[in-house]
Amino acid sequence: MSQPSPTTISVQTHRVSRRALLGLLGPAFVAAIAYVDPGNVAANLTAGAKYGYLLVWVLVAANVMAMLIQYQSAKLGIVTGKSLPELLGERLPQTARRAYWLQAELVAAATDIAEVVGGALALWLLFGIPLPLGACIVGVISMILLLAQGNNRQRSFELIIVFLLAIVTVGFLTGLVFSPPDAGGVVAGLIPRFAGPDTVLLAASMLGATVMPHAIYVHSALSRDRHRPSPHVHVPPAAVARLLTATRVDVLAALALAGVVNIGMLLLAASTLGGQDGTDSIPGAHAAIVASLGPVVGVIFAVGLLASGLASTSVGCYAGATIMAGLLKIRIPLLARRVATLLPAIVLLALGVDPTWALVLSQVVLSFGIPFVLIPLIRLTGNAEIMGKFVDRWPLRIAAMTSAALVVGLNGVLLWLTVVGS
């Protein structure tokens, strides 16, 4: 008789052993790659280069919110055996369901544009490949990565994404070894404040790049597929509780790493790029990093950007498929979806649109999609009929509702300052 797998051990014993715990980690790391995508790079480098340490507090707050939200998403998938889009698709009337799908797909498309553009920029920085051709190369490689996710090979896909996440971490944090941040500036940056409408726009962009709607949708599916492949299979409450314990570790570890990378990017820009002309774009920032820290650090940074684009666009494409399958009950081949979501990025780059501007703007679009995923998530995880004994307790619900209110409030201020105020 074969030995039970680590996952099986974890739900049959009275405690989660270290071996079993390691076997359960993974879904949150796949979701976390969305938090260090090229949109983050553009937003964080721009914030650090233009305003120094002023907006460090935005990243800290956004990362805490992300931990809370991603845990709720994973919890929903584990407890119910269904993804967030599936649960919404069952409860929304037809017209509302199609409208909701449309906004979710637009947000996912904005995400994919940022990720493909970022990968194309990295290929241009490394090899001088024209941006439209680079976008095509990123699309092809991401499709190869997606093949690892199919045919019940989720673990292989997770390991590939974790490997790319490690490259991203090294690529974006190496510069801090040669240009450490000012400790006093970092502490001052933890005090919440703005310095005009432009900083509000950047804060919204950073928030949209950190709390990612498509990552929330996909995390519920990833956790479901790993731990509850069928909602009809009964899992004892004690086993569910142990899975949730492992999930908390998964989320905390993955999002803490993503948070360190994000904050590190801003600190690198503040310590290295501040006061230099042209450093509010990725090519300009890369050139300044090369000039200040040397070509080796510049290459490492560009490799990190490439890994970020490749991994995050693969996850983004998978998220789009999850959204469509859950809300419309339609499944299309990943290759067709990959081509459809790749075209807008190629067109933008072929038209000569500034890549960094496109990245930052895409993150603003994402920030407006956050309430549409947060509010339903909070309602579902707070519904005892759906979650049973695992329904969110009031402290967690209050924290989640506060996070949603902050996001909606920031977007409202952004609208007032950039539209009405102009």
Side-chain angles (χ1 to χ4, degrees), residues 123-358:
L123 290 173
W124 178 70
L125 292 172
L126 288 168
F127 309 111
I129 296 174
L131 293 177
L133 177 59
C136 294
I137 294 173
V138 169
V140 171
I141 297 176
S142 67
M143 186 61 211
I144 295 173
L145 294 178
L146 282 169
L147 293 177
Q149 198 280 331
N151 298 324
N152 297 317
R153 291 179 294 185
Q154 180 175 332
R155 189 60 174 166
S156 299
F157 182 64
E158 290 173 356
L159 292 174
I160 292 172
I161 296 299
V162 169
F163 173 71
L164 291 173
L165 179 58
I167 296 176
V168 171
T169 303
V170 173
F172 291 149
L173 296 185
T174 298
L176 289 176
V177 176
F178 301 94
S179 181
D182 175 64
V186 175
V187 172
L190 295 174
I191 302 173
R193 64 194 190 281
F194 293 108
D198 286 345
T199 58
V200 179
L201 176 64
L202 263 179
S205 178
M206 294 161 69
L207 183 64
T210 305
V211 181
M212 303 287 278
H214 77 288
I216 300 172
Y217 292 119
V218 79
H219 200 172
S220 60
L222 289 167
S223 296
R224 173 207 61 195
D225 293 343
R226 171 68 86 83
H227 305 306
R228 291 285 303 271
S230 172
H232 306 296
V233 175
H234 175 70
V235 179
V240 173
R242 286 188 284 273
L243 289 173
L244 293 179
T245 297
T247 296
R248 283 192 286 271
V249 175
D250 193 26
V251 170
L252 286 173
L255 272 295
L257 178 60
V260 168
V261 174
N262 274 321
I263 295 171
M265 281 189 279
L266 188 148
L267 298 183
L268 177 64
S271 64
T272 307
L273 311 179
Q276 301 185 45
D277 294 333
T279 54
D280 55 350
S281 69
I282 289 180
H286 178 263
I289 289 172
V290 171
S292 301
L293 306 178
V296 173
V297 176
V299 169
I300 294 173
F301 177 87
V303 170
L305 179 63
L306 178 60
S308 167
L310 292 174
S312 56
T313 193
S314 301
V315 175
C317 191
Y318 179 60
T322 298
I323 292 168
M324 176 175 283
L327 289 167
L328 299 186
K329 310 299 181 185
I330 296 174
R331 297 181 184 273
I332 62 174
L334 280 176
L335 178 59
R337 171 172 285 279
R338 172 71 283 174
V339 172
T341 56
L342 186 63
L343 288 176
I346 295 175
V347 170
L348 284 175
L349 293 174
L351 292 175
V353 173
D354 177 63
T356 303
W357 179 85

